[in-house]
Amino acid sequence: MSGRSLAELAEKMRDIDFTMLSTRTAGGAIGARPMSNNREVDYDGDSYFFTYDDSLMVADIRSEPRVGLSYQAKSGLLGLRPLFLAVEGRADIVRDSDTFADHWSKSLDRWFPQGIDTPGLIMIHVRAERIHYWDGEDEGEVVLTEGATA
């Protein structure tokens, strides 16, 4: 395994718009939904996604906050092959409108017509604990919190 840094991975993640956010459902299955980061994120291990409070995904997170994020970048760190990332982390629900404003992008108006005042709007905050990446034959992990297994 190679030793890439979070900064190296973050550089390639700037061009990624969508991730699949995976949760554990009430019945024990794995549920995955596409979520957008609007390509306006300097990744530091924290991810933020807007959604509605009454979604099944939010119910899943309330029951089990451990989640997964899956990403694919067009060009890997070596520049030859796609880069794949699997992020393991913990999610929490944010209801603070000041925090909403800090992460709001005009493109979100399509999904949330009243902006940060949209009724039922919440934000999911995912704190990464471990990132596993594959870049061609190069693979490795970045551990971000104590207690996460590598």
Side-chain angles (χ1 to χ4, degrees), residues 111-133:
W111 305 105
F112 309 103
Q114 295 175 356
I116 64 171
D117 297 318
T118 299
L121 181 70
I122 59 99
M123 193 167 56
I124 298 169
H125 173 207
V126 177
R127 289 180 180 93
E129 295 178 345
R130 182 171 73 115
I131 303 170
H132 195 103
Y133 63 87

Side-chain angles (χ1 to χ4, degrees), residues 51-59 62 95 119-122:
T51 192
Y52 288 99
D53 189 41
D54 62 355
S55 70
L56 289 175
M57 174 176 44
V58 172
R62 284 189 187 112
R95 298 179 186 282
L121 181 70
I122 59 99

Side-chain angles (χ1 to χ4, degrees), residues 7-117:
E8 288 174 298
L9 296 176
E11 180 65 31
K12 289 299 178 183
M13 291 175 75
R14 284 191 189 147
D15 293 330
I16 302 173
D17 189 4
F18 289 95
T19 184
M20 292 297 287
L21 189 153
S22 298
T23 60
R24 183 69 67 184
T25 68
I30 296 172
R33 295 96 172 161
M35 302 298 286
S36 175
N37 65 15
N38 300 300
R39 294 188 191 184
E40 295 182 6
V41 176
D42 287 325
Y43 190 69
D44 61 0
D46 289 325
S47 300
Y48 299 89
F49 307 103
F50 287 94
T51 192
Y52 288 99
D53 189 41
D54 62 355
S55 70
L56 289 175
M57 174 176 44
V58 172
D60 292 348
I61 290 169
R62 284 189 187 112
S63 295
E64 174 53 71
R66 291 179 297 171
V67 300
L69 301 172
S70 302
Y71 294 93
Q72 178 186 350
K74 292 177 185 172
S75 178
L77 299 167
L78 302 175
L80 304 173
R81 300 176 186 95
L83 171 68
F84 298 93
L85 301 124
V87 176
E88 297 174 27
R90 291 199 172 265
D92 60 284
I93 307 302
V94 177
R95 298 179 186 282
D96 177 63
S97 60
D98 289 338
T99 305
F100 292 177
D102 290 342
H103 296 278
W104 193 260
S105 168
K106 189 72 176 154
S107 65
L108 291 166
D109 290 343
R110 173 181 177 198
W111 305 105
F112 309 103
Q114 295 175 356
I116 64 171
D117 297 318

